[in-house]
Amino acid sequence: MNEPQSSPNFPVLTTTVRTLPAHFGSTFVAFKSILSMSLIAIIFFAFLSTGCQPPGDSYAPKTTDPGVAPGEVLLGSSLALKGHASFLGTQTLRGAMSFLNHVNEQGGVHGRIIKVVAYDDSYDPPMCLANTQKLIIEDRVFALFCYVGTPTTVKVLPLIEEARIPLLGMFTGANALREPFSRFLVNVRASYYQETGAAVRHLVDDLGLKKIAVFYQYDAYGFDGLTGTELALKRFNLAPVAGGSYNRGTLDVQEGLNKIISSGAEAVVMIGTYDPCAKFIRLAHEQGFRPLFYLVSFVGADELARRLENQHGITVVMSQVVPPPDRQDPSPLLTGADGYVTLLKRYYPEDQPNFVGFEGFINARVLVEGLRRAGVDLTREGFIDAIESIHDLSLGPDINIAFSASDHQGLDRVHFTRLENGQFSLIKDWAGIKAQLNAPR
């Protein structure tokens, strides 16, 4: 079984399970046989007549849900902290913990410190399932938080429904987490269908591209992005001119690349992770194939940029579900006293602000708001009701979060960035990209 993972300033949390002595059951049965019903009644009414209560009982939170105590609330997370997607998991967690550590230093929410038990699943669905079972059954967490990835998260959906436990803030835009609707799933980010839909619209309407191929990871994540792209193209009476895939956890991209090159695609929609996508783009460039490369947010902008830093003459566009976390942005959400840039520097000084961590930070903001609204008598059902009461939570420019009893996705906005000078920056004018594509290369 995986051990709990820790990062700087993030303590490893353990759970102590206490069991009663083996003779306790027989002793209790014998004790019950000794007491007569009349004696029980006398004691009961005497207790009522004196109005006796345990000290402080009228002020103590009244809850039977797991993971809730007067001084803390326990959450659980399974995400990639090692392996080929570790940047995504690590930064999601650190972004969230930056804000939660700050809240805990202020006394928590309603006097409860927020603790997170995090296990590494290395972006592997069976490991995620085992971790989730452990979190629910052994660690007895109140809710699940900040899961990363489509194949991993989809794997645990039946367990979540059976346990009736909330899961908030998933780093995936999979449609399976939105349809059919589940009361226990709380998405903060926009969906892949929204990302690919907006991207195809820009490719066709703004850039005049119609020969569009798809390169995707051969699993639930890739299929979701492929379907979203097909649906978006269908609105323009188009279909992918080619499709290529690779197996999760590998870099076997050449076969898929060959199929797409032979199609003469003008743009390639890419649904994968940073390493295989970067290799695909590098190989395409080496072989003289230079379409527009568009990637969904899950790919990981900062790690992709780092892997393509020596590539020139390529056009790379990526959609984002949060604005760029600019270090110079005066927005309180970024550089204020409790902003992402400020708190990341305090708790994880070696890390640089990035899109992935910023999304995790926003997840934590929504979590804390839900806990605050749920009140001192915290229950899972009450927490979900509290999330559904968030109708207009403005965290900053372009970040307005709203939920309802029938809509558990807080954000719908999709932002577009392009790779320039080693980093992804907001696209302000698609005409510039069109000029680059039409220029001799």
Side-chain angles (χ1 to χ4, degrees):
M1 183 62 68
N2 301 316
E3 294 298 322
Q5 303 299 312
S6 62
S7 51
N9 297 302
F10 176 49
V12 175
L13 305 178
T14 58
T15 302
T16 302
V17 180
R18 296 182 175 86
T19 57
L20 295 172
H23 64 270
F24 180 84
S26 59
T27 303
F28 183 61
V29 171
F31 178 71
K32 286 206 305 182
S33 65
I34 294 172
L35 287 177
S36 66
M37 293 301 296
S38 59
L39 181 57
I40 294 174
I42 292 171
I43 295 173
F44 176 73
F45 285 112
F47 181 80
L48 288 182
S49 66
T50 59
C52 293
Q53 296 181 28
D57 181 67
S58 59
Y59 300 101
K62 301 173 178 62
T63 178
T64 58
D65 280 359
V68 180
E72 73 174 44
V73 57
L74 186 63
L75 308 177
S77 182
S78 178
L79 64 179
L81 300 175
K82 299 177 181 177
H84 61 98
S86 60
F87 176 83
L88 304 178
T90 299
Q91 290 306 312
T92 296
L93 185 61
R94 290 182 180 179
M97 292 308 302
S98 294
F99 187 66
L100 297 184
N101 285 337
H102 172 70
V103 171
N104 287 341
E105 286 185 354
Q106 309 304 311
V109 180
H110 297 302
R112 293 190 181 97
I113 299 300
I114 303 168
K115 293 187 176 181
V116 179
V117 177
Y119 293 116
D120 169 56
D121 60 32
S122 297
Y123 196 36
D124 177 68
M127 288 180 66
C128 183
L129 180 61
N131 289 346
T132 305
Q133 289 173 327
K134 179 176 173 60
L135 288 166
I136 295 173
I137 298 171
E138 296 183 27
D139 298 323
R140 293 180 57 78
V141 298
F142 169 73
L144 303 172
F145 178 60
C146 272
Y147 274 44
V148 170
T150 300
T152 45
T153 308
V154 168
K155 186 73 172 179
V156 304
L157 293 185
L159 189 58
I160 289 170
E161 293 296 321
E162 182 180 354
R164 301 178 65 84
I165 185 172
L167 168 58
L168 182 147
M170 299 78 90
F171 187 71
T172 165
N175 194 57
L177 306 181
R178 292 156 172 82
E179 296 180 2
F181 175 81
S182 170
R183 176 168 165 79
F184 306 105
L185 301 177
V186 181
N187 298 284
V188 177
R189 57 153 39 225
S191 70
Y192 292 144
Y193 282 14
Q194 289 171 305
E195 288 190 58
T196 54
V200 167
R201 186 170 64 253
H202 284 301
L203 295 179
V204 177
D205 284 344
D206 294 329
L207 302 181
L209 306 178
K210 295 185 178 180
K211 298 179 68 176
I212 299 171
V214 184
F215 177 70
Y216 59 97
Q217 186 168 284
Y218 197 81
D219 64 3
Y221 162 48
F223 301 151
D224 200 72
L226 173 63
T227 300
T229 305
E230 290 173 334
L231 290 172
L233 287 170
K234 189 175 181 179
R235 299 187 190 105
F236 295 92
N237 296 315
L238 298 172
V241 296
S245 63
Y246 73 98
N247 291 325
R248 183 180 64 246
T250 74
L251 297 175
D252 300 331
V253 304
Q254 186 64 61
E255 182 179 349
L257 175 60
N258 291 341
K259 292 179 181 179
I260 291 174
I261 290 177
S262 64
S263 73
E266 301 167 315
V268 181
V269 174
M270 307 185 74
I271 319 293
T273 53
Y274 43 83
D275 272 328
C277 287
K279 182 176 180 181
F280 183 100
I281 294 171
R282 288 197 304 268
L283 289 175
H285 185 68
E286 291 171 6
Q287 295 174 39
F289 179 55
R290 300 182 184 180
L292 179 146
F293 299 100
Y294 157 70
L295 307 96
V296 295
S297 59
F298 184 84
V299 173
D302 297 88
E303 284 300 286
L304 182 74
R306 188 168 67 84
R307 285 159 172 76
L308 296 177
E309 61 183 354
N310 295 320
Q311 301 295 309
H312 304 286
I314 57 175
T315 305
V316 181
V317 171
M318 183 180 290
S319 52
Q320 310 290 351
V321 295
V322 296
D326 191 339
R327 298 171 185 79
Q328 307 303 320
D329 194 316
S331 168
L333 182 63
L334 289 169
T335 54
D338 59 354
Y340 167 61
V341 174
T342 303
L343 296 179
L344 183 71
K345 184 177 181 180
R346 180 188 305 172
Y347 296 109
Y348 303 100
E350 296 181 359
D351 288 358
Q352 297 299 319
N354 58 82
F355 288 97
V356 178
F358 190 28
E359 184 175 337
F361 182 86
I362 292 173
N363 289 343
R365 290 289 301 264
V366 174
L367 168 75
V368 169
E369 181 66 15
L371 292 173
R372 185 187 68 78
R373 294 185 181 214
V376 66
D377 295 330
L378 182 61
T379 65
R380 288 172 174 172
E381 289 294 327
F383 174 70
I384 297 173
D385 289 341
I387 291 293
E388 292 177 347
S389 76
I390 300 174
H391 302 314
D392 187 15
L393 177 63
S394 179
L395 299 183
D398 299 326
I399 304 181
N400 296 298
I401 297 172
F403 298 96
S404 72
S406 60
D407 183 359
H408 276 198
Q409 179 177 297
L411 292 169
D412 293 297
R413 180 78 181 270
V414 177
H415 310 263
F416 284 90
T417 58
R418 67 178 296 184
L419 183 60
E420 294 180 297
N421 301 318
Q423 64 181 7
F424 281 89
S425 54
L426 274 178
I427 295 176
K428 298 179 180 178
D429 182 7
W430 288 87
I433 295 178
K434 186 173 183 178
Q436 181 181 354
L437 290 172
N438 292 335
R441 288 187 289 174

Coordinates of all heavy atoms in Angstrom, one line a residue, residues 149-218:
G149 N -6.7 13.9 -13.0 CA -6.7 12.9 -14.2 C -8.1 12.3 -14.4 O -8.8 12.0 -13.5
T150 N -8.4 12.1 -15.7 CA -9.7 11.5 -16.1 C -9.7 10.0 -15.8 O -10.6 9.5 -15.1 CB -9.9 11.7 -17.5 OG1 -10.0 13.1 -17.8 CG2 -11.3 11.1 -18.0
P151 N -8.7 9.2 -16.3 CA -8.9 7.7 -16.0 C -8.8 7.4 -14.6 O -9.5 6.4 -14.1 CB -7.6 7.1 -16.8 CG -6.7 8.3 -16.9 CD -7.5 9.5 -17.0
T152 N -8.1 8.1 -13.8 CA -8.0 7.8 -12.3 C -9.3 8.2 -11.6 O -9.9 7.4 -10.9 CB -6.8 8.6 -11.7 OG1 -6.9 10.0 -12.2 CG2 -5.5 8.0 -12.1
T153 N -9.8 9.4 -11.9 CA -11.0 9.8 -11.2 C -12.3 9.1 -11.7 O -13.1 8.7 -10.8 CB -11.2 11.3 -11.5 OG1 -10.0 12.1 -11.2 CG2 -12.4 11.9 -10.6
V154 N -12.4 8.8 -12.9 CA -13.5 8.0 -13.4 C -13.5 6.6 -12.8 O -14.6 6.1 -12.5 CB -13.5 7.9 -15.0 CG1 -14.4 6.8 -15.5 CG2 -13.7 9.2 -15.6
K155 N -12.4 6.1 -12.5 CA -12.3 4.7 -11.9 C -13.0 4.7 -10.5 O -13.5 3.6 -10.1 CB -10.8 4.4 -11.7 CG -10.6 2.9 -11.2 CD -10.8 1.9 -12.3 CE -10.4 0.5 -11.9 NZ -10.7 -0.5 -13.0
V156 N -13.0 5.8 -9.8 CA -13.5 5.8 -8.4 C -15.0 6.3 -8.3 O -15.5 6.3 -7.2 CB -12.6 6.6 -7.4 CG1 -11.2 6.1 -7.5 CG2 -12.7 8.1 -7.8
L157 N -15.6 6.6 -9.4 CA -16.9 7.1 -9.4 C -17.9 6.2 -8.7 O -18.8 6.6 -7.9 CB -17.4 7.5 -10.8 CG -16.7 8.7 -11.4 CD1 -17.4 9.0 -12.8 CD2 -16.7 9.9 -10.5
P158 N -17.9 4.9 -9.0 CA -18.9 4.0 -8.3 C -18.7 4.0 -6.8 O -19.7 3.9 -6.0 CB -18.6 2.6 -8.9 CG -18.0 2.9 -10.3 CD -17.2 4.2 -10.1
L159 N -17.4 4.1 -6.4 CA -17.1 4.1 -4.9 C -17.6 5.3 -4.3 O -18.2 5.3 -3.2 CB -15.6 4.0 -4.7 CG -15.1 3.7 -3.3 CD1 -15.7 2.5 -2.7 CD2 -13.6 3.6 -3.3
I160 N -17.5 6.5 -5.0 CA -18.0 7.7 -4.4 C -19.5 7.7 -4.3 O -20.1 8.2 -3.2 CB -17.6 8.9 -5.4 CG1 -16.1 9.1 -5.2 CG2 -18.3 10.2 -5.0 CD1 -15.5 10.0 -6.3
E161 N -20.2 7.2 -5.3 CA -21.7 7.1 -5.2 C -22.1 6.2 -4.1 O -23.1 6.5 -3.3 CB -22.2 6.6 -6.5 CG -22.0 7.6 -7.7 CD -22.8 8.9 -7.5 OE1 -23.9 8.9 -7.0 OE2 -22.2 10.0 -7.8
E162 N -21.4 5.1 -3.9 CA -21.8 4.1 -2.9 C -21.5 4.7 -1.5 O -22.4 4.5 -0.6 CB -21.0 2.8 -3.0 CG -21.3 1.8 -2.0 CD -20.5 0.5 -2.2 OE1 -19.7 0.4 -3.2 OE2 -20.6 -0.4 -1.3
A163 N -20.4 5.4 -1.3 CA -20.1 6.0 0.0 C -20.8 7.3 0.3 O -20.8 7.8 1.4 CB -18.6 6.2 0.1
R164 N -21.4 7.9 -0.8 CA -22.1 9.2 -0.7 C -21.1 10.2 -0.1 O -21.5 10.9 0.9 CB -23.4 9.0 0.1 CG -24.3 8.0 -0.5 CD -25.6 7.9 0.4 NE -26.4 9.1 0.4 CZ -27.3 9.5 -0.5 NH1 -27.4 8.7 -1.6 NH2 -27.9 10.6 -0.4
I165 N -19.9 10.3 -0.6 CA -18.9 11.2 -0.1 C -18.6 12.3 -1.1 O -18.5 12.0 -2.3 CB -17.6 10.4 0.3 CG1 -16.6 11.4 0.9 CG2 -17.0 9.7 -1.0 CD1 -15.4 10.6 1.5
P166 N -18.5 13.5 -0.7 CA -18.3 14.6 -1.7 C -16.8 14.5 -2.3 O -15.9 14.1 -1.6 CB -18.4 15.9 -0.9 CG -19.2 15.5 0.3 CD -18.8 14.1 0.6
L167 N -16.7 14.8 -3.6 CA -15.4 15.0 -4.2 C -15.4 16.3 -4.9 O -16.2 16.6 -5.8 CB -15.2 13.9 -5.2 CG -14.0 14.1 -6.2 CD1 -12.7 14.2 -5.4 CD2 -13.9 12.9 -7.2
L168 N -14.5 17.2 -4.5 CA -14.5 18.6 -5.0 C -13.1 18.9 -5.6 O -12.1 18.5 -5.1 CB -14.7 19.6 -3.8 CG -14.8 21.1 -4.2 CD1 -15.8 21.8 -3.3 CD2 -13.4 21.7 -4.0
G169 N -13.2 19.6 -6.7 CA -11.9 20.2 -7.3 C -11.1 19.2 -8.0 O -9.9 19.0 -7.7
M170 N -11.6 18.6 -9.1 CA -10.9 17.6 -9.9 C -10.1 18.3 -11.0 O -10.7 19.1 -11.7 CB -11.8 16.6 -10.5 CG -12.5 15.8 -9.4 SD -13.9 16.7 -8.7 CE -15.2 16.2 -9.8
F171 N -8.8 18.0 -11.2 CA -8.0 18.5 -12.3 C -8.3 17.6 -13.5 O -7.4 16.9 -14.0 CB -6.5 18.5 -11.9 CG -5.7 19.2 -12.9 CD1 -5.7 20.6 -13.1 CD2 -4.8 18.5 -13.7 CE1 -5.0 21.3 -14.0 CE2 -4.0 19.2 -14.6 CZ -4.1 20.5 -14.8
T172 N -9.4 17.8 -14.0 CA -9.9 17.1 -15.3 C -11.2 17.7 -15.7 O -12.0 18.1 -14.9 CB -10.1 15.6 -15.1 OG1 -10.8 15.0 -16.2 CG2 -10.9 15.3 -13.8
G173 N -11.3 17.8 -17.0 CA -12.6 18.4 -17.6 C -13.5 17.3 -18.2 O -14.3 17.6 -19.0
A174 N -13.3 16.1 -17.7 CA -14.0 14.9 -18.3 C -15.5 15.1 -18.2 O -16.1 15.5 -17.2 CB -13.6 13.6 -17.7
N175 N -16.2 14.8 -19.3 CA -17.7 14.8 -19.3 C -18.3 13.8 -18.4 O -19.4 14.0 -17.9 CB -18.2 14.6 -20.8 CG -19.6 15.0 -20.9 OD1 -20.0 16.1 -20.7 ND2 -20.5 14.1 -21.4
A176 N -17.6 12.7 -18.1 CA -18.2 11.7 -17.3 C -18.3 12.2 -15.8 O -19.1 11.6 -15.0 CB -17.2 10.4 -17.3
L177 N -17.7 13.3 -15.5 CA -17.8 13.8 -14.1 C -18.9 14.9 -14.1 O -19.2 15.5 -13.1 CB -16.5 14.5 -13.7 CG -15.3 13.6 -13.7 CD1 -14.1 14.4 -13.2 CD2 -15.5 12.4 -12.9
R178 N -19.6 15.1 -15.3 CA -20.7 16.1 -15.4 C -22.0 15.4 -15.8 O -23.0 15.9 -15.4 CB -20.2 17.1 -16.4 CG -19.1 18.0 -15.8 CD -18.3 18.6 -16.9 NE -17.3 19.6 -16.4 CZ -16.1 19.2 -15.9 NH1 -15.7 17.9 -15.9 NH2 -15.3 20.1 -15.4
E179 N -21.9 14.4 -16.6 CA -23.1 13.7 -17.1 C -22.9 12.2 -16.9 O -21.9 11.7 -17.4 CB -23.4 14.1 -18.6 CG -23.7 15.5 -18.8 CD -23.9 15.8 -20.3 OE1 -23.9 14.9 -21.1 OE2 -24.1 17.0 -20.6
P180 N -23.9 11.5 -16.3 CA -25.0 12.1 -15.7 C -24.7 12.9 -14.4 O -23.6 12.6 -13.8 CB -25.9 10.8 -15.3 CG -24.8 9.8 -15.1 CD -23.8 10.1 -16.2
F181 N -25.5 13.8 -14.0 CA -25.3 14.6 -12.9 C -25.2 13.8 -11.6 O -26.0 12.9 -11.4 CB -26.4 15.7 -12.7 CG -26.3 16.5 -11.5 CD1 -25.5 17.6 -11.5 CD2 -27.1 16.2 -10.4 CE1 -25.4 18.4 -10.3 CE2 -27.0 17.0 -9.2 CZ -26.1 18.1 -9.2
S182 N -24.2 14.1 -10.8 CA -24.1 13.5 -9.5 C -24.0 14.6 -8.4 O -23.2 15.5 -8.5 CB -22.8 12.7 -9.4 OG -22.6 12.2 -8.0
R183 N -24.8 14.4 -7.4 CA -24.8 15.4 -6.2 C -23.4 15.4 -5.5 O -23.1 16.4 -4.9 CB -25.9 15.0 -5.3 CG -25.9 15.8 -4.0 CD -27.2 15.6 -3.2 NE -27.2 16.1 -1.9 CZ -27.3 17.4 -1.5 NH1 -27.6 18.3 -2.5 NH2 -27.3 17.8 -0.3
F184 N -22.7 14.3 -5.6 CA -21.4 14.2 -4.8 C -20.2 14.8 -5.5 O -19.1 14.8 -4.9 CB -21.2 12.8 -4.4 CG -22.4 12.2 -3.7 CD1 -23.3 11.3 -4.3 CD2 -22.7 12.6 -2.4 CE1 -24.4 10.8 -3.7 CE2 -23.9 12.1 -1.7 CZ -24.7 11.2 -2.4
L185 N -20.3 15.1 -6.8 CA -19.2 15.6 -7.6 C -19.3 17.1 -7.8 O -20.3 17.6 -8.3 CB -19.1 14.9 -9.0 CG -19.0 13.4 -8.9 CD1 -19.0 12.8 -10.4 CD2 -17.8 12.9 -8.2
V186 N -18.2 17.8 -7.4 CA -18.2 19.3 -7.5 C -17.0 19.7 -8.4 O -15.9 19.6 -7.9 CB -18.1 19.9 -6.1 CG1 -18.1 21.5 -6.3 CG2 -19.3 19.5 -5.2
N187 N -17.3 20.0 -9.6 CA -16.3 20.5 -10.5 C -16.2 22.0 -10.4 O -17.2 22.7 -10.3 CB -16.7 20.2 -12.0 CG -16.8 18.7 -12.2 OD1 -15.8 18.0 -12.3 ND2 -18.0 18.2 -12.3
V188 N -14.9 22.5 -10.4 CA -14.7 23.9 -10.4 C -14.4 24.4 -11.8 O -14.9 25.4 -12.2 CB -13.6 24.3 -9.4 CG1 -13.3 25.8 -9.4 CG2 -14.0 23.9 -8.0
R189 N -13.6 23.7 -12.5 CA -13.1 24.1 -13.8 C -14.1 23.9 -14.9 O -15.1 23.1 -14.8 CB -11.8 23.4 -14.2 CG -12.0 21.9 -14.1 CD -11.1 21.1 -15.0 NE -9.7 21.5 -15.0 CZ -9.1 21.5 -16.2 NH1 -9.7 21.2 -17.3 NH2 -7.8 21.8 -16.2
A190 N -13.8 24.5 -16.1 CA -14.6 24.2 -17.3 C -14.3 22.9 -17.8 O -13.3 22.2 -17.5 CB -14.3 25.3 -18.4
S191 N -15.1 22.3 -18.7 CA -15.0 21.0 -19.2 C -14.1 20.9 -20.5 O -13.9 21.9 -21.1 CB -16.4 20.4 -19.6 OG -16.9 21.0 -20.7
Y192 N -13.7 19.7 -20.8 CA -12.9 19.5 -22.1 C -13.8 19.8 -23.3 O -13.3 20.3 -24.3 CB -12.4 18.1 -22.2 CG -11.3 17.8 -21.2 CD1 -11.2 16.5 -20.6 CD2 -10.4 18.7 -20.8 CE1 -10.2 16.2 -19.7 CE2 -9.4 18.4 -19.9 CZ -9.3 17.2 -19.3 OH -8.3 16.9 -18.4
Y193 N -15.1 19.5 -23.2 CA -16.0 19.8 -24.3 C -16.0 21.3 -24.5 O -16.1 21.8 -25.7 CB -17.4 19.4 -24.0 CG -17.6 17.9 -24.2 CD1 -16.6 17.0 -24.3 CD2 -18.9 17.3 -24.2 CE1 -16.8 15.6 -24.5 CE2 -19.2 16.0 -24.4 CZ -18.1 15.1 -24.6 OH -18.3 13.8 -24.7
Q194 N -16.0 22.1 -23.4 CA -15.9 23.6 -23.6 C -14.6 24.0 -24.1 O -14.6 25.0 -25.0 CB -16.2 24.2 -22.2 CG -17.7 24.1 -21.8 CD -17.9 24.5 -20.3 OE1 -17.2 24.1 -19.4 NE2 -18.8 25.5 -20.2
E195 N -13.5 23.4 -23.7 CA -12.2 23.8 -24.2 C -12.1 23.5 -25.7 O -11.7 24.4 -26.5 CB -11.1 23.0 -23.4 CG -10.9 23.5 -22.0 CD -9.6 22.9 -21.4 OE1 -8.5 23.1 -22.0 OE2 -9.7 22.2 -20.3
T196 N -12.4 22.3 -26.1 CA -12.2 21.9 -27.5 C -13.2 22.6 -28.4 O -12.9 23.0 -29.5 CB -12.3 20.4 -27.7 OG1 -13.6 19.9 -27.1 CG2 -11.2 19.6 -27.0
G197 N -14.4 22.9 -27.8 CA -15.4 23.6 -28.6 C -15.0 25.0 -28.9 O -15.1 25.5 -30.1
A198 N -14.5 25.7 -27.9 CA -14.0 27.0 -28.1 C -12.8 27.0 -29.1 O -12.6 27.9 -29.9 CB -13.6 27.7 -26.8
A199 N -11.9 26.0 -28.9 CA -10.7 26.0 -29.7 C -11.0 25.8 -31.2 O -10.5 26.5 -32.1 CB -9.8 24.9 -29.2
V200 N -11.9 24.8 -31.5 CA -12.3 24.6 -32.9 C -12.9 25.8 -33.5 O -12.7 26.1 -34.7 CB -13.3 23.4 -32.9 CG1 -13.9 23.3 -34.3 CG2 -12.5 22.1 -32.6
R201 N -13.7 26.5 -32.7 CA -14.3 27.7 -33.2 C -13.3 28.8 -33.6 O -13.4 29.4 -34.7 CB -15.3 28.3 -32.2 CG -16.1 29.6 -32.6 CD -17.1 30.0 -31.7 NE -16.6 30.4 -30.4 CZ -16.6 29.8 -29.3 NH1 -17.2 28.6 -29.2 NH2 -16.1 30.2 -28.1
H202 N -12.2 28.9 -32.8 CA -11.2 29.8 -33.2 C -10.4 29.3 -34.4 O -10.0 30.1 -35.3 CB -10.2 30.0 -32.0 CG -10.7 30.9 -30.9 ND1 -11.1 32.2 -31.2 CD2 -10.9 30.7 -29.6 CE1 -11.5 32.8 -30.0 NE2 -11.4 31.8 -29.1
L203 N -10.1 28.0 -34.5 CA -9.4 27.5 -35.6 C -10.1 27.7 -36.9 O -9.5 28.0 -37.9 CB -9.1 26.0 -35.4 CG -8.2 25.6 -34.2 CD1 -8.1 24.1 -34.1 CD2 -6.9 26.2 -34.3
V204 N -11.4 27.5 -36.9 CA -12.2 27.6 -38.1 C -12.5 29.0 -38.4 O -12.3 29.5 -39.6 CB -13.5 26.7 -38.0 CG1 -14.3 26.9 -39.3 CG2 -13.1 25.2 -37.8
D205 N -13.1 29.7 -37.5 CA -13.6 31.1 -37.7 C -12.5 32.1 -37.8 O -12.5 33.0 -38.7 CB -14.6 31.5 -36.7 CG -16.0 30.8 -36.8 OD1 -16.3 30.3 -37.9 OD2 -16.8 30.8 -35.9
D206 N -11.6 32.1 -36.9 CA -10.6 33.1 -36.8 C -9.3 32.8 -37.7 O -8.7 33.7 -38.2 CB -10.1 33.3 -35.4 CG -11.2 33.9 -34.5 OD1 -12.1 34.6 -35.0 OD2 -11.2 33.6 -33.3
L207 N -9.0 31.5 -37.9 CA -7.8 31.2 -38.6 C -8.1 30.6 -40.0 O -7.1 30.4 -40.7 CB -6.9 30.2 -37.7 CG -6.5 30.8 -36.4 CD1 -5.7 29.8 -35.6 CD2 -5.8 32.1 -36.5
G208 N -9.3 30.2 -40.2 CA -9.7 29.7 -41.5 C -9.1 28.2 -41.8 O -9.0 27.8 -42.9
L209 N -8.9 27.5 -40.7 CA -8.4 26.1 -40.8 C -9.5 25.1 -40.8 O -10.4 25.2 -40.0 CB -7.4 25.8 -39.7 CG -6.2 26.8 -39.5 CD1 -5.4 26.4 -38.3 CD2 -5.4 26.9 -40.7
K210 N -9.4 24.2 -41.7 CA -10.5 23.2 -41.8 C -10.0 21.7 -41.8 O -10.7 20.8 -41.5 CB -11.3 23.4 -43.1 CG -12.1 24.7 -43.0 CD -13.0 24.9 -44.2 CE -13.8 26.2 -44.1 NZ -14.7 26.4 -45.3
K211 N -8.7 21.6 -42.1 CA -8.1 20.2 -42.0 C -7.5 20.0 -40.6 O -6.3 20.4 -40.4 CB -7.1 20.1 -43.1 CG -7.7 20.2 -44.5 CD -6.6 20.1 -45.6 CE -6.1 18.6 -45.7 NZ -5.1 18.5 -46.8
I212 N -8.3 19.5 -39.8 CA -7.9 19.4 -38.3 C -7.8 17.9 -37.9 O -8.7 17.1 -38.1 CB -8.9 20.1 -37.5 CG1 -8.9 21.6 -37.9 CG2 -8.6 20.0 -36.0 CD1 -10.1 22.4 -37.2
A213 N -6.6 17.5 -37.4 CA -6.4 16.1 -36.9 C -6.4 16.1 -35.4 O -6.4 17.2 -34.7 CB -5.1 15.6 -37.4
V214 N -6.5 14.9 -34.8 CA -6.5 14.8 -33.4 C -5.4 13.8 -32.9 O -5.4 12.6 -33.5 CB -7.9 14.3 -32.8 CG1 -7.9 14.3 -31.3 CG2 -9.0 15.2 -33.4
F215 N -4.6 14.1 -32.0 CA -3.6 13.2 -31.4 C -4.0 13.1 -29.9 O -4.1 14.1 -29.2 CB -2.2 13.8 -31.5 CG -1.1 13.0 -30.8 CD1 -0.8 11.8 -31.3 CD2 -0.5 13.4 -29.7 CE1 0.2 11.0 -30.7 CE2 0.4 12.7 -29.0 CZ 0.8 11.5 -29.6
Y216 N -4.2 11.8 -29.5 CA -4.8 11.7 -28.2 C -4.2 10.5 -27.4 O -3.7 9.5 -28.0 CB -6.3 11.5 -28.3 CG -6.8 10.3 -29.1 CD1 -7.1 9.1 -28.6 CD2 -6.8 10.4 -30.5 CE1 -7.5 8.0 -29.4 CE2 -7.2 9.4 -31.3 CZ -7.6 8.2 -30.7 OH -8.0 7.1 -31.5
Q217 N -4.3 10.6 -26.1 CA -3.9 9.5 -25.2 C -5.0 8.4 -25.3 O -6.2 8.7 -25.2 CB -3.8 10.0 -23.8 CG -3.3 9.0 -22.8 CD -2.9 9.7 -21.5 OE1 -1.8 10.4 -21.4 NE2 -3.7 9.6 -20.5
Y218 N -4.6 7.1 -25.4 CA -5.6 6.1 -25.6 C -6.2 5.6 -24.3 O -5.8 4.5 -23.8 CB -4.9 4.9 -26.4 CG -5.9 4.0 -27.0 CD1 -6.5 4.3 -28.2 CD2 -6.3 2.8 -26.4 CE1 -7.5 3.4 -28.8 CE2 -7.2 1.9 -27.0 CZ -7.8 2.2 -28.2 OH -8.7 1.4 -28.7

